Amino acid sequence: MLKFGRFIAKNRILVLIISVLLLLPSAYGIIKTRINYDILTYLPENLDSMKGQRILNDVFSNAATGMLMIENMEPKDVVKIKEKISQIDGVEKVTWISDFLDESVPKEILPSEIRDTFFRENSTLLTIQFEHEAASDETQKAIEDIRKVLNKQCFLSGMSAIVKDTIELADRETPIYVLLAVILAVIVLALTLESTIIPVIFLLAIGMAIVYNFGTNTFLGEISYITKSLAAVLQLGVTMDYSIFLLHRYEDELKHTKDKNEAMAVAISKTTASILGSSLTTIAGFLALVAMQLGLGKDIGIVMAKGVFIGVIATVTILPALILTFDKVIHRFNHGTVLPEFDKVASIVTRYYKVFIVIIILLFIPSLYGKNNTQVYYNLDESLPKDMESIVALNKLKNEYNMTTTHMIIVKEDIPTFKIKQMMEEIEKVDGIEKVIGYDKILGPAIPEEFIPEQIKEQFVKDGYKLILANSIYKAATDEQNEQVIKLRQIIKKYDKDAYITGEGALTKDLVEIADIDFKRVSFISILAIFAIILILFASISVPVLLVGIIELAIFINMAIPYYMGTVIPFIASIVIGSIQLGATVDYAILLTTRFREELRNGHDKYESMRIALKSSAKSIVTSALTFFGSTVGVGFIARIEMIRSLSMMIARGAIISMFAILFLLPAVLLISERIISATSKNWRTRPTLKVLTKGRN
């Protein structure tokens, strides 16, 4: 690695030129990467609800359907709006009562099934079917054009409209997230490091690594809007440590030589191994998310693991080149730091370690209880701002048309009409079902089949399938709704074993079940992977148990706080926060434990070893944790998308909780367990001896 370090130091200008040139293809890759704004599409394809969703999309085009509610408007004016919308590019058709009958026919004489579908006391409802998928550019342009012809009496909702508003909000806020993360990280680094300029140098190197990471996302095809919103600030937070490690090593080497190139070469060679080792736990934490059945985990996991690896490469190539290029400027603006020497902290923790053991015991039960009882929500619309145009429309739709949730049931067309009617009668008797609509019911004795326009029939019967809509008064993700979905599945399978039930209720029920499995799976894999890494690193059975145990306690505390504050968190936060917090902050524990072992090997007793370890490691731990906190907490305060806000706040809070756990609780655990550690570890108190192999002469 020394040769590599010398090459980077000697050719720093070439390194910077190549680094800048690589930004161009990366920028192209960012532009070409699609962003997915529909979390439900990440459900496994083999679920019945997803199979039904594909039929809705491919056959009935219902996955890209808008619902337009118009209040206090004359029928003739409704028809005018309907005609204008029908002419917009990307709109396949608009359906209203005028497709059945002349709009002048009084609504009071219509059959109740039709009247209740299209009318309420002061409003009427139109459905808009689009030619392309909800998140497609064509549909999003159509939504934009539709809103231009609407007025204050009109409320447009549906997945397409929600996606449109989510795109605009995320695109508007994401640059602010990054800017705020940069500002707060600079403030933290400026206060905790001795140079005013070095934070800017760090951010230039990490900024390039972030651009490379986002550019290479094009090979994944698409990423979720959650990943897009958080990946930059997370990468900034978790890779800043590596920059600090390199800088400190470079400054140490300058004390032994005046040759800056050689000092940097030695710093690179000595830092690379430790940075790679440190990054392994973080990468393992993120890669554990790939094991999720919900595809969102794979999305976040791969992007972030890749980001950490690219961050490591940037730290040993771009950063050294920048530091050497601007070395004079960096040292010209040196100043003191706000961080203390931590002598008192080290003495207190070492002297009163038994008190901190009691604190650990006292914290464990309430944190475990709180973590297990924290309420989680699965309704994706709840994570969006209530004043968002499409959410206002959605809530009006739910309140006025009792469309709290609409189940979409798909059966084969060859099922006899009388059986379909029997099935719908059974469905109507299920608790919470407010209304059932199907072609066979609309037909009825009042309206002969030849009177039904073909375009209306195609909404319910097409390409060998029949579509039945069942409106529920229950909210998705509630126990009542989930029980209702189970009963509906039992009913429809009696009449058609290949029938499907889909829609928000069924998809969310599957999401609830998968999230529970994913939480256990990700927790197990992340703990196992990081346990294995620490086991190899320390050649110890007990050390990984103790280190992972302390971080897990910090995670329990973090996840218990919402319970005691009476807040509800999004389901995705409950799944990924443990893996992210464990992978990103266990490095602090490894740093302290490594220094503790080093001082034991130097011949100190365990108390003096811990005092020295704490004093020497505390600054690095606090700086890293505060930088991680600063890069994410700003997003937690300003994000209007609740899912992003909650996740960011929990990550930021987790960094601080882990920091305190490692500075105050881990030393106590290591001190009280030192004999056990020594007995279960190889070369714990003694340095490993190197065997020299010699060849005998013939």
Side-chain angles (χ1 to χ4, degrees), residues 361-374:
I361 296 169
L362 293 176
L363 284 173
F364 180 75
I365 294 176
S367 62
L368 180 62
Y369 179 82
K371 172 237 177 193
N372 289 337
N373 289 278
T374 293

Side-chain angles (χ1 to χ4, degrees), residues 213 217 220 286-287 290 297-307:
N213 187 29
N217 287 338
L220 302 176
F286 284 120
L287 286 181
V290 176
K298 181 179 179 181
D299 187 84
I300 297 173
I302 290 177
V303 171
M304 284 311 307
K306 176 165 58 72

Side-chain angles (χ1 to χ4, degrees), residues 13 22 45 175 188 324 351 396 431-432 437 479 490 526 543 677:
I13 301 302
L22 285 174
E45 292 291 329
V188 170
L324 288 174
R351 185 180 302 171
K396 275 184 167 289
D431 289 343
I437 304 168
D479 293 339
Q490 291 171 347
S526 62
V543 170
I677 296 172

Side-chain angles (χ1 to χ4, degrees), residues 44-45 157 171 187 272 296 307 665 680:
E45 292 291 329
S157 189
D171 287 351
I187 291 172
T272 301
L296 181 61
L665 304 184
T680 56

Side-chain angles (χ1 to χ4, degrees), residues 179 200 277:
L179 178 62
V200 178

Side-chain angles (χ1 to χ4, degrees), residues 107-126:
K107 63 181 180 182
E108 288 76 15
I109 69 170
L110 295 172
S112 60
E113 289 82 3
I114 296 177
R115 184 177 64 247
D116 292 344
T117 300
F118 291 100
F119 294 99
R120 282 298 185 266
E121 185 176 348
N122 298 314
S123 66
T124 188
L125 188 65
L126 294 77

